[in-house]
Amino acid sequence: MHTFISPVLWQFLVKWLTHFAIFPPEASGIAPYTDALYFYLVAISIFGFVLVVLLVTVFSVLYRKERSPEATQIEGSTLLEATWTIIPLALFMVTFVWGALLYFRIFNPPTNAMNIYVVGKQWMWKAEHPGGQHEINALHIPVGRPVQLTMISQDVFHSFSIPAFRVKREVIPGRYTTVWFEATQPGEYHLFCTQYCGTLHSQMIGTITAMSQQDYEAWTAGSTSGMSLAQNGERLFASLGCNSCHSGDAAARGPNLAQVYGAKLPLSGGGYAMVDDAFLRDSILNPTMHQTAGYAPIMPTYQGQISEEGLIDIVEYIKSLHSNFRIQQTLNTSQVQNAVQEGISGAGHSGEAAAHPASAAQPKVVSQ
């Protein structure tokens, strides 16, 4: 065929069909099930279209004016009416049940799914792995392992779509959304934003790289930033002074955060709330939204003081807290540093303190 068209046009068509296939490959575990429902919908749509066109054509010929100049009343048929009611109802019920089962399968990730955070912003996708690996407009994932993406937008509405995996989910400002998949074939796949999000929306694209478990472990080892998300969160947690209220001891002014993730907390207004990523984020930015029973509403809001990446780090840190040991260690360390600084500062005004700076700071450490 290429002998009849321009070589330039032929190369364009070959490249377009190769890289922007209308029907992308099935590269995830859910893709065959999604395609099966899609082809079922296409099949019954074609069947209905052909049936309607055929009946209109046949009736137009049989009951044309030359053959039947006078209209004849045709009495209804209960059997015929029941047939054209029951058959479409059955087709729609199959579609409903099939779609519902697929929906629950798509929206319920396996318990062993690996979580990766994705922040959408004009006009890029930023992925953050638990080990501290960061990617822009790219995402490396292992084949044969469920992966859950926890996503949020930093500015406007976006939509995260991987056609080869048959997944697409809205990415909304101020709210976490999740999607999960399991890649079945190694390779590189397209990542798109399918929600118009501004002038450079068309450039908000990326690449998904699916690799074997061994290659993925090698990639994570060679791409680490030196600190995991939880470690970054611990540093931010201490710099904001969160450990002064959430120390976990009996006199603490804030709730104990050890093993709080996944638990149900009693609320001051009655009832309970499940502690998940969204709960923790809301509690940091809008503390009065989920006021824990037994504690005064003294926590200030951190709206505008922490980026979405910082919130993710703190959430990961809280999720990693299985005891209050780390909080106590950080609190003691920060108080020792403060006590030493106060002692050094006081040395400039007191000759006695200058002679024994350590003794001036020691009582504050012992009091903890």
Side-chain angles (χ1 to χ4, degrees):
M1 181 183 292
H2 64 281
T3 59
F4 300 101
I5 61 176
S6 167
V8 176
L9 180 59
W10 175 257
Q11 292 182 5
F12 170 77
L13 290 175
V14 170
K15 184 176 181 180
W16 187 84
L17 290 173
T18 302
H19 297 281
F20 298 93
I22 297 176
F23 200 82
E26 297 177 341
S28 73
I30 201 66
Y33 300 96
T34 306
D35 289 348
L37 178 58
Y38 170 76
F39 287 124
Y40 168 75
L41 293 173
V42 171
I44 62 173
S45 299
I46 293 176
F47 173 76
F49 173 76
V50 172
L51 180 62
V52 170
V53 171
L54 180 63
L55 292 177
V56 169
T57 303
V58 170
F59 290 159
S60 298
V61 173
L62 290 179
Y63 300 104
R64 63 187 184 275
K65 184 177 181 181
E66 292 79 7
R67 187 171 180 177
S68 303
E70 297 294 334
T72 303
Q73 180 65 34
I74 300 176
E75 299 297 334
S77 169
T78 303
L79 177 61
L80 185 60
E81 292 182 1
T83 301
W84 71 44
T85 301
I86 293 175
I87 291 178
L89 177 63
L91 293 175
F92 289 140
M93 288 303 298
V94 170
T95 304
F96 172 76
V97 174
W98 194 345
L101 293 175
L102 189 58
Y103 175 87
F104 287 115
R105 181 166 185 165
I106 292 174
F107 276 80
N108 291 284
T111 54
N112 62 339
M114 179 180 68
N115 188 54
I116 299 175
Y117 292 94
V118 175
V119 177
K121 60 179 73 175
Q122 292 176 321
W123 288 270
M124 67 170 68
W125 298 107
K126 184 176 182 180
E128 296 196 342
H129 297 252
Q133 296 82 10
H134 304 285
E135 300 183 81
I136 301 294
N137 291 335
L139 179 62
H140 289 75
I141 56 171
V143 171
R145 182 176 178 183
V147 176
Q148 174 178 292
L149 302 182
T150 301
M151 304 179 291
I152 194 167
S153 172
Q154 187 170 299
D155 37 48
V156 300
F157 276 72
H158 301 282
S159 185
F160 188 93
S161 173
I162 310 174
F165 292 175
R166 307 296 191 268
V167 295
K168 174 182 175 298
R169 189 59 45 85
E170 304 306 313
V171 183
I172 304 171
R175 195 178 79 184
Y176 288 124
T177 57
T178 60
V179 66
W180 81 275
F181 50 79
E182 182 177 337
T184 56
Q185 299 178 20
E188 292 188 350
Y189 306 99
H190 293 291
L191 164 63
F192 296 110
C193 175
T194 53
Q195 172 71 44
Y196 180 72
C197 55
T199 309
L200 300 181
H201 160 71
S202 62
Q203 297 182 18
M204 196 169 174
I205 57 178
T207 303
I208 306 295
T209 303
M211 53 182 62
S212 65
Q213 183 65 35
Q214 294 77 12
D215 291 341
Y216 177 75
E217 292 176 356
W219 177 83
T220 54
S223 305
T224 181
S225 60
M227 296 185 69
S228 67
L229 298 183
Q231 289 173 322
N232 287 330
E234 180 179 10
R235 185 172 57 180
L236 186 57
F237 189 85
S239 66
L240 294 172
C242 306
N243 45 11
S244 62
C245 291
H246 298 281
S247 58
D249 55 33
R253 293 177 294 177
N256 185 358
L257 299 181
Q259 297 184 340
V260 72
Y261 188 83
K264 285 187 175 181
L265 280 186
L267 302 180
S268 59
Y272 291 83
M274 176 68 74
V275 179
D276 54 10
D277 295 53
F279 179 94
L280 295 175
R281 183 183 182 279
D282 293 339
S283 298
I284 296 171
L285 299 181
N286 189 7
T288 58
M289 180 180 292
H290 306 295
Q291 186 60 44
T292 306
Y295 294 92
I298 59 174
M299 179 172 169
T301 176
Y302 289 89
Q303 187 79 42
Q305 302 181 45
I306 312 176
S307 65
E308 288 297 343
E309 290 85 353
L311 289 168
I312 290 172
D313 292 341
I314 293 180
V315 168
E316 276 295 303
Y317 172 60
I318 295 175
K319 290 165 69 173
S320 70
L321 288 175
H322 301 295
S323 70
N324 290 306
F325 176 75
R326 294 294 303 170
I327 295 179
Q328 295 289 348
Q329 290 296 311
T330 305
L331 183 60
N332 290 339
T333 302
S334 61
Q335 291 187 344
V336 167
Q337 292 174 346
N338 292 337
V340 171
Q341 290 177 355
E342 291 176 2
I344 294 175
S345 176
H349 304 283
S350 173
E352 182 180 357
H356 307 283
S359 62
Q362 189 65 22
K364 295 186 177 182
V365 179
V366 174
S367 65
Q368 297 302 314

